[in-house]
Amino acid sequence: MEDVFHEMDLLSRQMNQAHRAAVQAELNAAGLGEVGHPMLMSILQSAKEDPDGQCQAQRELADLLHVSPAAVANSLKCLERDGYIRREPWRQDARRNRVILTQKGACAVEGCRNVFRRVSVRMMAGFTSEELQQLVWYQRRILDNLTHPDSHKKE
């Protein structure tokens, strides 16, 4: 069983690296190579505004991406420098920033989403619909095991 776990760990790392490389190559080909965090951009685009018209705060973005607030702050700094986003204080709490896509950012998001679609189509080539559904089920189960480790322990 130990060999299976080792192989699964190795495959997981290899798939992650191959996926990142494929996405970056597609971003470069689409002229979007400078978008350092396309998933962050996509989240900003799809985030719903709350009733007060506020967008996602940096801390909430970090939670969604499962990264540190410092990592999000660094990505946002680069995106702001390159004109993809702007930050401004929240109306109700000036200590917090809200993050807003610029027009340039909104256009880049569409290009990034197209890149993700192309990579996904390539990645899943040859799988049947049933196999894809099963794969999604397994991935959700793995994610649940990793994010809620105590929920599956036998008493």
Side-chain angles (χ1 to χ4, degrees):
M1 190 62 119
E2 209 47 47
D3 288 343
V4 172
F5 289 147
H6 178 71
E7 184 176 6
M8 288 172 55
D9 186 45
L10 185 59
L11 281 170
S12 178
R13 290 172 191 266
Q14 289 172 333
M15 284 190 301
N16 188 340
Q17 290 172 344
H19 184 265
R20 284 177 182 252
V23 167
Q24 192 60 53
E26 288 283 338
L27 286 170
N28 291 342
L32 296 167
E34 71 178 14
V35 178
H37 206 309
M39 188 56 70
L40 173 59
M41 298 278 289
S42 186
I43 288 171
L44 289 171
Q45 176 71 31
S46 62
K48 302 283 185 219
E49 292 192 353
D50 73 22
D52 295 326
Q54 303 293 339
C55 296
Q56 294 290 320
Q58 288 178 207
R59 182 170 302 283
E60 292 159 349
L61 292 168
D63 290 343
L64 284 170
L65 291 166
H66 302 286
V67 297
S68 71
V72 169
N74 190 43
S75 292
L76 291 175
K77 181 179 175 183
C78 293
L79 292 170
E80 187 173 31
R81 178 196 66 217
D82 294 335
Y84 292 106
I85 61 137
R86 64 185 168 84
R87 291 185 275 189
E88 59 186 49
W90 284 75
R91 290 183 195 147
Q92 298 162 340
D93 185 353
R95 296 171 297 175
R96 295 177 64 192
N97 284 330
R98 65 187 191 132
V99 181
I100 303 163
L101 280 176
T102 63
Q103 184 62 39
K104 179 181 178 182
C107 291
V109 166
E110 190 56 36
C112 290
R113 287 184 176 169
N114 289 334
V115 162
F116 285 131
R117 276 191 285 280
R118 286 193 301 273
V119 171
S120 291
V121 165
R122 188 170 110 205
M123 182 171 63
M124 297 303 165
F127 284 86
T128 66
S129 179
E130 293 79 21
E131 288 171 329
L132 289 174
Q133 289 173 349
Q134 190 174 25
L135 179 60
V136 167
W137 186 83
Y138 284 133
Q139 288 177 325
R140 284 190 177 145
R141 189 170 162 193
I142 290 168
L143 182 60
D144 187 52
N145 287 343
L146 292 171
T147 57
H148 303 96
D150 294 333
S151 66
H152 299 289
K153 286 184 179 176
K154 292 185 179 180
E155 307 215 359

